[in-house]
Amino acid sequence: MTTSAAPHLDTGDTAWLLAATALVLLMTPGLALFYGGMVRTKSVLNTLLMSFVSIALVTVVWLTAGYSLAFGDDVFAGLIGGLDHAGMAGIGPGSLTGTVPTLLFTTFQLTFAVITAALISGAVADRTRFAAWLVFVPVWTLLVYVPVAHWVWGPDGWISQKLGALDFAGGLVVEIASGASGLALCLVLGPRIGFKKEAMRPHNLPMVLMGAGLLWFGWLGFNGGSALGANGLAAAALLNTLVAGCTGLLGWLFVEQRRDGHPTTFGAASGAVAGLVAITPSCGVVGIPGAAAIGLAAGVVCSYAVAWKFRLGYDDSLDVVGVHLVGGVIGTLLIGLFATATMTDGAEGLFHGGGAAQLGRQAVAVGAVAAYTFAVTYGIGKAVDRLMGFRASAEDELTGLDQTQHAESAYDHGVLAGPVGSASVKAPAKKESPVA
């Protein structure tokens, strides 16, 4: 007769998860830079602040009720947890989740909720009232993110425990949820003034690349930390993440070269992010060849998907739908092809002899999460719009949200002439031409 060992704190696992939590938190400032470089100069600060304020808003909601509802014991059919741990009740420094402190696990999961809410802002950048965003984020976190997190990662969630679909680090919970929600919200707000008529190019590509680099760096903690331990699974997830980011970048550049005749820095940043999005659900269930294929598929498909908005007429400002929704769907579905028992200890995809059953489970999960998040977000958006107005006025949008929403500007465009201390800087006098 054998008995299971009592849960114990593992200092190695705890140290790794502490580092991973910090890495994932860094992703939100990285996202702010990524998005900030993509907008026009008149809305840079507003775009940055929509990400930064999400850290504060989601933290309050998560510690008040979100964690308990997402990860507490199920109270109804695998759909939602209870409120036993509301306000972090009953969780102290000695409480453990696996081999790490529950307070650390709570914080790690909080950083996922933060960046998921921040991701949505990219779909409606350049035209959103900041006050409305402050109302939307807490409501969305409770009504959309928390239930989906329980379905997929909760102890009795219906997607993981009953359906048997796999999502290692957030393809359903983060990527598809944010992408479908972004689509719903940009439909509620409508297109920007000048959409499809004016060029709305990124104003600062070095900022975009810096943001993408920080996202890539943080993603190693995002995916590797989801193993919840300093072990071989964390190492495999981390390496798969690196590989998929690389093949996503190369795939996007390949499309640009063939389609446009030149690869771009913007395409490189976007391709890397697309690959990272797609590998998120699968990094802990596929091998390196599978990770390379998933990243490459995302880089190629997403490079075309970002143009769908022009044909279909929805104004997804910063390509949340084309990259995060489409990339999340690709990565989640391809688990059904590339999952290997050496990683999952059980489930296998079609290409490894497992048949089409896992692919079917993944498809059901994708459809359920996309439909729920789209419908509920659309309802929240409409309610906020009716209550207080979600979209900035036409005058504010044309002037720029930095000035109208925050009374600031990202760049000083003033002239040199004028008082500087006690002196004045004057333009040099024009030299007269010699008279013949």
Side-chain angles (χ1 to χ4, degrees), residues 300-331:
V300 171
V301 175
C302 291
S303 66
Y304 289 104
V306 296
W308 294 350
K309 62 185 178 183
F310 298 110
R311 292 202 299 266
L312 299 177
Y314 62 89
D315 184 10
D316 173 21
S317 303
L318 308 181
D319 300 323
V320 178
V321 178
V323 173
H324 293 276
L325 177 57
V326 174
V329 169
I330 290 170

PDB file of all heavy atoms in Angstrom, residues 300-331:
ATOM      1  N   VAL A 300       2.436  33.093 -41.709  1.00  0.00           N
ATOM      2  CA  VAL A 300       1.926  33.198 -43.074  1.00  0.00           C
ATOM      3  C   VAL A 300       0.459  33.604 -43.083  1.00  0.00           C
ATOM      4  O   VAL A 300       0.053  34.564 -43.753  1.00  0.00           O
ATOM      5  CB  VAL A 300       2.120  31.863 -43.823  1.00  0.00           C
ATOM      6  CG1 VAL A 300       1.387  31.884 -45.161  1.00  0.00           C
ATOM      7  CG2 VAL A 300       3.608  31.585 -44.026  1.00  0.00           C
ATOM      8  N   VAL A 301      -0.372  32.894 -42.321  1.00  0.00           N
ATOM      9  CA  VAL A 301      -1.814  33.146 -42.365  1.00  0.00           C
ATOM     10  C   VAL A 301      -2.156  34.517 -41.786  1.00  0.00           C
ATOM     11  O   VAL A 301      -2.965  35.266 -42.358  1.00  0.00           O
ATOM     12  CB  VAL A 301      -2.575  32.033 -41.613  1.00  0.00           C
ATOM     13  CG1 VAL A 301      -4.075  32.366 -41.541  1.00  0.00           C
ATOM     14  CG2 VAL A 301      -2.369  30.691 -42.299  1.00  0.00           C
ATOM     15  N   CYS A 302      -1.542  34.877 -40.668  1.00  0.00           N
ATOM     16  CA  CYS A 302      -1.863  36.166 -40.041  1.00  0.00           C
ATOM     17  C   CYS A 302      -1.430  37.340 -40.907  1.00  0.00           C
ATOM     18  O   CYS A 302      -2.044  38.409 -40.870  1.00  0.00           O
ATOM     19  CB  CYS A 302      -1.212  36.262 -38.664  1.00  0.00           C
ATOM     20  SG  CYS A 302      -1.934  35.142 -37.438  1.00  0.00           S
ATOM     21  N   SER A 303      -0.376  37.161 -41.715  1.00  0.00           N
ATOM     22  CA  SER A 303       0.055  38.250 -42.585  1.00  0.00           C
ATOM     23  C   SER A 303      -1.015  38.584 -43.621  1.00  0.00           C
ATOM     24  O   SER A 303      -1.093  39.725 -44.103  1.00  0.00           O
ATOM     25  CB  SER A 303       1.365  37.889 -43.288  1.00  0.00           C
ATOM     26  OG  SER A 303       1.182  36.812 -44.185  1.00  0.00           O
ATOM     27  N   TYR A 304      -1.826  37.612 -43.980  1.00  0.00           N
ATOM     28  CA  TYR A 304      -2.963  37.868 -44.866  1.00  0.00           C
ATOM     29  C   TYR A 304      -4.204  38.300 -44.084  1.00  0.00           C
ATOM     30  O   TYR A 304      -4.994  39.133 -44.543  1.00  0.00           O
ATOM     31  CB  TYR A 304      -3.291  36.624 -45.687  1.00  0.00           C
ATOM     32  CG  TYR A 304      -2.271  36.296 -46.744  1.00  0.00           C
ATOM     33  CD1 TYR A 304      -1.368  35.249 -46.572  1.00  0.00           C
ATOM     34  CD2 TYR A 304      -2.196  37.032 -47.928  1.00  0.00           C
ATOM     35  CE1 TYR A 304      -0.416  34.940 -47.542  1.00  0.00           C
ATOM     36  CE2 TYR A 304      -1.251  36.728 -48.913  1.00  0.00           C
ATOM     37  CZ  TYR A 304      -0.363  35.686 -48.707  1.00  0.00           C
ATOM     38  OH  TYR A 304       0.583  35.401 -49.676  1.00  0.00           O
ATOM     39  N   ALA A 305      -4.368  37.738 -42.887  1.00  0.00           N
ATOM     40  CA  ALA A 305      -5.582  37.997 -42.104  1.00  0.00           C
ATOM     41  C   ALA A 305      -5.722  39.455 -41.684  1.00  0.00           C
ATOM     42  O   ALA A 305      -6.841  39.953 -41.524  1.00  0.00           O
ATOM     43  CB  ALA A 305      -5.603  37.096 -40.863  1.00  0.00           C
ATOM     44  N   VAL A 306      -4.613  40.164 -41.488  1.00  0.00           N
ATOM     45  CA  VAL A 306      -4.704  41.555 -41.049  1.00  0.00           C
ATOM     46  C   VAL A 306      -5.362  42.448 -42.086  1.00  0.00           C
ATOM     47  O   VAL A 306      -5.832  43.548 -41.771  1.00  0.00           O
ATOM     48  CB  VAL A 306      -3.313  42.120 -40.669  1.00  0.00           C
ATOM     49  CG1 VAL A 306      -2.738  41.385 -39.465  1.00  0.00           C
ATOM     50  CG2 VAL A 306      -2.339  42.044 -41.856  1.00  0.00           C
ATOM     51  N   ALA A 307      -5.408  41.985 -43.353  1.00  0.00           N
ATOM     52  CA  ALA A 307      -6.034  42.786 -44.412  1.00  0.00           C
ATOM     53  C   ALA A 307      -7.531  42.517 -44.536  1.00  0.00           C
ATOM     54  O   ALA A 307      -8.223  43.216 -45.279  1.00  0.00           O
ATOM     55  CB  ALA A 307      -5.350  42.512 -45.751  1.00  0.00           C
ATOM     56  N   TRP A 308      -8.028  41.524 -43.800  1.00  0.00           N
ATOM     57  CA  TRP A 308      -9.459  41.214 -43.899  1.00  0.00           C
ATOM     58  C   TRP A 308     -10.328  42.387 -43.493  1.00  0.00           C
ATOM     59  O   TRP A 308     -11.445  42.550 -43.980  1.00  0.00           O
ATOM     60  CB  TRP A 308      -9.793  39.999 -43.036  1.00  0.00           C
ATOM     61  CG  TRP A 308      -9.168  38.726 -43.495  1.00  0.00           C
ATOM     62  CD1 TRP A 308      -8.500  38.485 -44.670  1.00  0.00           C
ATOM     63  CD2 TRP A 308      -9.121  37.488 -42.768  1.00  0.00           C
ATOM     64  NE1 TRP A 308      -8.037  37.198 -44.721  1.00  0.00           N
ATOM     65  CE2 TRP A 308      -8.400  36.552 -43.575  1.00  0.00           C
ATOM     66  CE3 TRP A 308      -9.593  37.066 -41.528  1.00  0.00           C
ATOM     67  CZ2 TRP A 308      -8.171  35.233 -43.168  1.00  0.00           C
ATOM     68  CZ3 TRP A 308      -9.377  35.765 -41.118  1.00  0.00           C
ATOM     69  CH2 TRP A 308      -8.665  34.857 -41.933  1.00  0.00           C
ATOM     70  N   LYS A 309      -9.819  43.211 -42.567  1.00  0.00           N
ATOM     71  CA  LYS A 309     -10.633  44.321 -42.068  1.00  0.00           C
ATOM     72  C   LYS A 309     -10.999  45.301 -43.174  1.00  0.00           C
ATOM     73  O   LYS A 309     -12.053  45.939 -43.114  1.00  0.00           O
ATOM     74  CB  LYS A 309      -9.906  45.041 -40.933  1.00  0.00           C
ATOM     75  CG  LYS A 309      -8.582  45.695 -41.315  1.00  0.00           C
ATOM     76  CD  LYS A 309      -7.891  46.270 -40.098  1.00  0.00           C
ATOM     77  CE  LYS A 309      -6.546  46.889 -40.442  1.00  0.00           C
ATOM     78  NZ  LYS A 309      -5.838  47.379 -39.235  1.00  0.00           N
ATOM     79  N   PHE A 310     -10.155  45.431 -44.174  1.00  0.00           N
ATOM     80  CA  PHE A 310     -10.459  46.356 -45.260  1.00  0.00           C
ATOM     81  C   PHE A 310     -11.536  45.805 -46.184  1.00  0.00           C
ATOM     82  O   PHE A 310     -12.344  46.552 -46.726  1.00  0.00           O
ATOM     83  CB  PHE A 310      -9.184  46.675 -46.055  1.00  0.00           C
ATOM     84  CG  PHE A 310      -8.118  47.343 -45.230  1.00  0.00           C
ATOM     85  CD1 PHE A 310      -6.956  46.673 -44.891  1.00  0.00           C
ATOM     86  CD2 PHE A 310      -8.296  48.640 -44.764  1.00  0.00           C
ATOM     87  CE1 PHE A 310      -5.970  47.285 -44.129  1.00  0.00           C
ATOM     88  CE2 PHE A 310      -7.321  49.260 -43.995  1.00  0.00           C
ATOM     89  CZ  PHE A 310      -6.161  48.584 -43.680  1.00  0.00           C
ATOM     90  N   ARG A 311     -11.555  44.488 -46.344  1.00  0.00           N
ATOM     91  CA  ARG A 311     -12.581  43.883 -47.182  1.00  0.00           C
ATOM     92  C   ARG A 311     -13.914  43.760 -46.441  1.00  0.00           C
ATOM     93  O   ARG A 311     -14.982  43.931 -47.040  1.00  0.00           O
ATOM     94  CB  ARG A 311     -12.132  42.492 -47.653  1.00  0.00           C
ATOM     95  CG  ARG A 311     -10.967  42.522 -48.615  1.00  0.00           C
ATOM     96  CD  ARG A 311     -10.896  41.245 -49.441  1.00  0.00           C
ATOM     97  NE  ARG A 311     -10.710  40.054 -48.597  1.00  0.00           N
ATOM     98  CZ  ARG A 311      -9.520  39.540 -48.321  1.00  0.00           C
ATOM     99  NH1 ARG A 311      -8.429  40.114 -48.794  1.00  0.00           N
ATOM    100  NH2 ARG A 311      -9.422  38.468 -47.571  1.00  0.00           N
ATOM    101  N   LEU A 312     -13.852  43.468 -45.152  1.00  0.00           N
ATOM    102  CA  LEU A 312     -15.076  43.220 -44.385  1.00  0.00           C
ATOM    103  C   LEU A 312     -15.600  44.464 -43.677  1.00  0.00           C
ATOM    104  O   LEU A 312     -16.724  44.458 -43.175  1.00  0.00           O
ATOM    105  CB  LEU A 312     -14.824  42.105 -43.364  1.00  0.00           C
ATOM    106  CG  LEU A 312     -14.415  40.753 -43.974  1.00  0.00           C
ATOM    107  CD1 LEU A 312     -14.126  39.735 -42.885  1.00  0.00           C
ATOM    108  CD2 LEU A 312     -15.485  40.236 -44.924  1.00  0.00           C
ATOM    109  N   GLY A 313     -14.784  45.522 -43.561  1.00  0.00           N
ATOM    110  CA  GLY A 313     -15.271  46.800 -43.067  1.00  0.00           C
ATOM    111  C   GLY A 313     -15.233  47.014 -41.573  1.00  0.00           C
ATOM    112  O   GLY A 313     -15.783  47.996 -41.085  1.00  0.00           O
ATOM    113  N   TYR A 314     -14.576  46.125 -40.797  1.00  0.00           N
ATOM    114  CA  TYR A 314     -14.428  46.378 -39.358  1.00  0.00           C
ATOM    115  C   TYR A 314     -13.063  47.018 -39.130  1.00  0.00           C
ATOM    116  O   TYR A 314     -12.068  46.585 -39.696  1.00  0.00           O
ATOM    117  CB  TYR A 314     -14.589  45.087 -38.543  1.00  0.00           C
ATOM    118  CG  TYR A 314     -13.554  44.020 -38.833  1.00  0.00           C
ATOM    119  CD1 TYR A 314     -12.343  43.971 -38.132  1.00  0.00           C
ATOM    120  CD2 TYR A 314     -13.788  43.050 -39.805  1.00  0.00           C
ATOM    121  CE1 TYR A 314     -11.401  42.998 -38.396  1.00  0.00           C
ATOM    122  CE2 TYR A 314     -12.846  42.066 -40.077  1.00  0.00           C
ATOM    123  CZ  TYR A 314     -11.658  42.041 -39.368  1.00  0.00           C
ATOM    124  OH  TYR A 314     -10.708  41.081 -39.626  1.00  0.00           O
ATOM    125  N   ASP A 315     -13.023  48.039 -38.304  1.00  0.00           N
ATOM    126  CA  ASP A 315     -11.778  48.784 -38.098  1.00  0.00           C
ATOM    127  C   ASP A 315     -11.064  48.285 -36.850  1.00  0.00           C
ATOM    128  O   ASP A 315     -11.223  48.824 -35.760  1.00  0.00           O
ATOM    129  CB  ASP A 315     -12.062  50.283 -37.999  1.00  0.00           C
ATOM    130  CG  ASP A 315     -10.784  51.111 -37.891  1.00  0.00           C
ATOM    131  OD1 ASP A 315      -9.694  50.541 -38.080  1.00  0.00           O
ATOM    132  OD2 ASP A 315     -10.885  52.316 -37.615  1.00  0.00           O
ATOM    133  N   ASP A 316     -10.289  47.252 -37.014  1.00  0.00           N
ATOM    134  CA  ASP A 316      -9.438  46.699 -35.958  1.00  0.00           C
ATOM    135  C   ASP A 316      -8.123  47.468 -36.005  1.00  0.00           C
ATOM    136  O   ASP A 316      -7.209  47.112 -36.750  1.00  0.00           O
ATOM    137  CB  ASP A 316      -9.244  45.206 -36.212  1.00  0.00           C
ATOM    138  CG  ASP A 316      -8.247  44.548 -35.287  1.00  0.00           C
ATOM    139  OD1 ASP A 316      -7.985  45.097 -34.203  1.00  0.00           O
ATOM    140  OD2 ASP A 316      -7.734  43.474 -35.668  1.00  0.00           O
ATOM    141  N   SER A 317      -8.029  48.529 -35.212  1.00  0.00           N
ATOM    142  CA  SER A 317      -6.953  49.516 -35.370  1.00  0.00           C
ATOM    143  C   SER A 317      -5.564  48.896 -35.447  1.00  0.00           C
ATOM    144  O   SER A 317      -4.777  49.218 -36.339  1.00  0.00           O
ATOM    145  CB  SER A 317      -6.990  50.524 -34.216  1.00  0.00           C
ATOM    146  OG  SER A 317      -8.233  51.169 -34.129  1.00  0.00           O
ATOM    147  N   LEU A 318      -5.235  48.018 -34.504  1.00  0.00           N
ATOM    148  CA  LEU A 318      -3.867  47.516 -34.386  1.00  0.00           C
ATOM    149  C   LEU A 318      -3.796  46.004 -34.583  1.00  0.00           C
ATOM    150  O   LEU A 318      -2.902  45.341 -34.053  1.00  0.00           O
ATOM    151  CB  LEU A 318      -3.267  47.930 -33.040  1.00  0.00           C
ATOM    152  CG  LEU A 318      -3.349  49.421 -32.712  1.00  0.00           C
ATOM    153  CD1 LEU A 318      -2.698  49.721 -31.373  1.00  0.00           C
ATOM    154  CD2 LEU A 318      -2.710  50.264 -33.815  1.00  0.00           C
ATOM    155  N   ASP A 319      -4.747  45.459 -35.320  1.00  0.00           N
ATOM    156  CA  ASP A 319      -4.716  44.067 -35.781  1.00  0.00           C
ATOM    157  C   ASP A 319      -4.799  43.032 -34.656  1.00  0.00           C
ATOM    158  O   ASP A 319      -4.145  41.982 -34.699  1.00  0.00           O
ATOM    159  CB  ASP A 319      -3.465  43.814 -36.632  1.00  0.00           C
ATOM    160  CG  ASP A 319      -3.427  44.711 -37.856  1.00  0.00           C
ATOM    161  OD1 ASP A 319      -4.496  44.973 -38.429  1.00  0.00           O
ATOM    162  OD2 ASP A 319      -2.329  45.177 -38.230  1.00  0.00           O
ATOM    163  N   VAL A 320      -5.628  43.310 -33.680  1.00  0.00           N
ATOM    164  CA  VAL A 320      -5.867  42.335 -32.616  1.00  0.00           C
ATOM    165  C   VAL A 320      -6.576  41.106 -33.176  1.00  0.00           C
ATOM    166  O   VAL A 320      -6.270  39.972 -32.811  1.00  0.00           O
ATOM    167  CB  VAL A 320      -6.698  42.973 -31.483  1.00  0.00           C
ATOM    168  CG1 VAL A 320      -7.005  41.959 -30.393  1.00  0.00           C
ATOM    169  CG2 VAL A 320      -5.964  44.179 -30.903  1.00  0.00           C
ATOM    170  N   VAL A 321      -7.530  41.335 -34.062  1.00  0.00           N
ATOM    171  CA  VAL A 321      -8.265  40.223 -34.666  1.00  0.00           C
ATOM    172  C   VAL A 321      -7.357  39.414 -35.581  1.00  0.00           C
ATOM    173  O   VAL A 321      -7.280  38.178 -35.486  1.00  0.00           O
ATOM    174  CB  VAL A 321      -9.492  40.739 -35.445  1.00  0.00           C
ATOM    175  CG1 VAL A 321     -10.231  39.583 -36.121  1.00  0.00           C
ATOM    176  CG2 VAL A 321     -10.436  41.503 -34.518  1.00  0.00           C
ATOM    177  N   GLY A 322      -6.645  40.100 -36.465  1.00  0.00           N
ATOM    178  CA  GLY A 322      -5.820  39.415 -37.448  1.00  0.00           C
ATOM    179  C   GLY A 322      -4.666  38.639 -36.854  1.00  0.00           C
ATOM    180  O   GLY A 322      -4.221  37.635 -37.435  1.00  0.00           O
ATOM    181  N   VAL A 323      -4.154  39.069 -35.705  1.00  0.00           N
ATOM    182  CA  VAL A 323      -3.018  38.390 -35.085  1.00  0.00           C
ATOM    183  C   VAL A 323      -3.455  37.517 -33.907  1.00  0.00           C
ATOM    184  O   VAL A 323      -3.156  36.322 -33.858  1.00  0.00           O
ATOM    185  CB  VAL A 323      -1.944  39.406 -34.637  1.00  0.00           C
ATOM    186  CG1 VAL A 323      -0.833  38.712 -33.843  1.00  0.00           C
ATOM    187  CG2 VAL A 323      -1.351  40.114 -35.857  1.00  0.00           C
ATOM    188  N   HIS A 324      -4.178  38.085 -32.954  1.00  0.00           N
ATOM    189  CA  HIS A 324      -4.473  37.332 -31.732  1.00  0.00           C
ATOM    190  C   HIS A 324      -5.630  36.355 -31.895  1.00  0.00           C
ATOM    191  O   HIS A 324      -5.540  35.212 -31.432  1.00  0.00           O
ATOM    192  CB  HIS A 324      -4.719  38.299 -30.573  1.00  0.00           C
ATOM    193  CG  HIS A 324      -3.488  39.050 -30.190  1.00  0.00           C
ATOM    194  ND1 HIS A 324      -2.541  38.533 -29.325  1.00  0.00           N
ATOM    195  CD2 HIS A 324      -3.014  40.256 -30.595  1.00  0.00           C
ATOM    196  CE1 HIS A 324      -1.549  39.390 -29.196  1.00  0.00           C
ATOM    197  NE2 HIS A 324      -1.806  40.444 -29.964  1.00  0.00           N
ATOM    198  N   LEU A 325      -6.708  36.774 -32.552  1.00  0.00           N
ATOM    199  CA  LEU A 325      -7.808  35.825 -32.762  1.00  0.00           C
ATOM    200  C   LEU A 325      -7.404  34.743 -33.762  1.00  0.00           C
ATOM    201  O   LEU A 325      -7.515  33.544 -33.473  1.00  0.00           O
ATOM    202  CB  LEU A 325      -9.057  36.562 -33.249  1.00  0.00           C
ATOM    203  CG  LEU A 325     -10.263  35.678 -33.586  1.00  0.00           C
ATOM    204  CD1 LEU A 325     -10.674  34.829 -32.394  1.00  0.00           C
ATOM    205  CD2 LEU A 325     -11.441  36.522 -34.069  1.00  0.00           C
ATOM    206  N   VAL A 326      -6.904  35.159 -34.907  1.00  0.00           N
ATOM    207  CA  VAL A 326      -6.535  34.182 -35.932  1.00  0.00           C
ATOM    208  C   VAL A 326      -5.364  33.316 -35.466  1.00  0.00           C
ATOM    209  O   VAL A 326      -5.386  32.088 -35.598  1.00  0.00           O
ATOM    210  CB  VAL A 326      -6.204  34.893 -37.256  1.00  0.00           C
ATOM    211  CG1 VAL A 326      -5.677  33.894 -38.289  1.00  0.00           C
ATOM    212  CG2 VAL A 326      -7.441  35.602 -37.802  1.00  0.00           C
ATOM    213  N   GLY A 327      -4.340  33.942 -34.885  1.00  0.00           N
ATOM    214  CA  GLY A 327      -3.209  33.169 -34.385  1.00  0.00           C
ATOM    215  C   GLY A 327      -3.603  32.224 -33.267  1.00  0.00           C
ATOM    216  O   GLY A 327      -3.122  31.083 -33.191  1.00  0.00           O
ATOM    217  N   GLY A 328      -4.491  32.676 -32.374  1.00  0.00           N
ATOM    218  CA  GLY A 328      -4.955  31.816 -31.293  1.00  0.00           C
ATOM    219  C   GLY A 328      -5.730  30.619 -31.805  1.00  0.00           C
ATOM    220  O   GLY A 328      -5.590  29.497 -31.293  1.00  0.00           O
ATOM    221  N   VAL A 329      -6.567  30.839 -32.825  1.00  0.00           N
ATOM    222  CA  VAL A 329      -7.314  29.732 -33.428  1.00  0.00           C
ATOM    223  C   VAL A 329      -6.362  28.732 -34.074  1.00  0.00           C
ATOM    224  O   VAL A 329      -6.498  27.512 -33.895  1.00  0.00           O
ATOM    225  CB  VAL A 329      -8.330  30.266 -34.459  1.00  0.00           C
ATOM    226  CG1 VAL A 329      -8.921  29.118 -35.275  1.00  0.00           C
ATOM    227  CG2 VAL A 329      -9.450  31.035 -33.762  1.00  0.00           C
ATOM    228  N   ILE A 330      -5.374  29.238 -34.814  1.00  0.00           N
ATOM    229  CA  ILE A 330      -4.405  28.345 -35.462  1.00  0.00           C
ATOM    230  C   ILE A 330      -3.690  27.483 -34.427  1.00  0.00           C
ATOM    231  O   ILE A 330      -3.617  26.259 -34.546  1.00  0.00           O
ATOM    232  CB  ILE A 330      -3.385  29.168 -36.275  1.00  0.00           C
ATOM    233  CG1 ILE A 330      -4.054  29.782 -37.506  1.00  0.00           C
ATOM    234  CG2 ILE A 330      -2.195  28.298 -36.698  1.00  0.00           C
ATOM    235  CD1 ILE A 330      -3.189  30.793 -38.224  1.00  0.00           C
ATOM    236  N   GLY A 331      -3.157  28.118 -33.402  1.00  0.00           N
ATOM    237  CA  GLY A 331      -2.393  27.380 -32.403  1.00  0.00           C
ATOM    238  C   GLY A 331      -3.225  26.386 -31.623  1.00  0.00           C
ATOM    239  O   GLY A 331      -2.758  25.282 -31.299  1.00  0.00           O
TER     240      GLY A 331
END
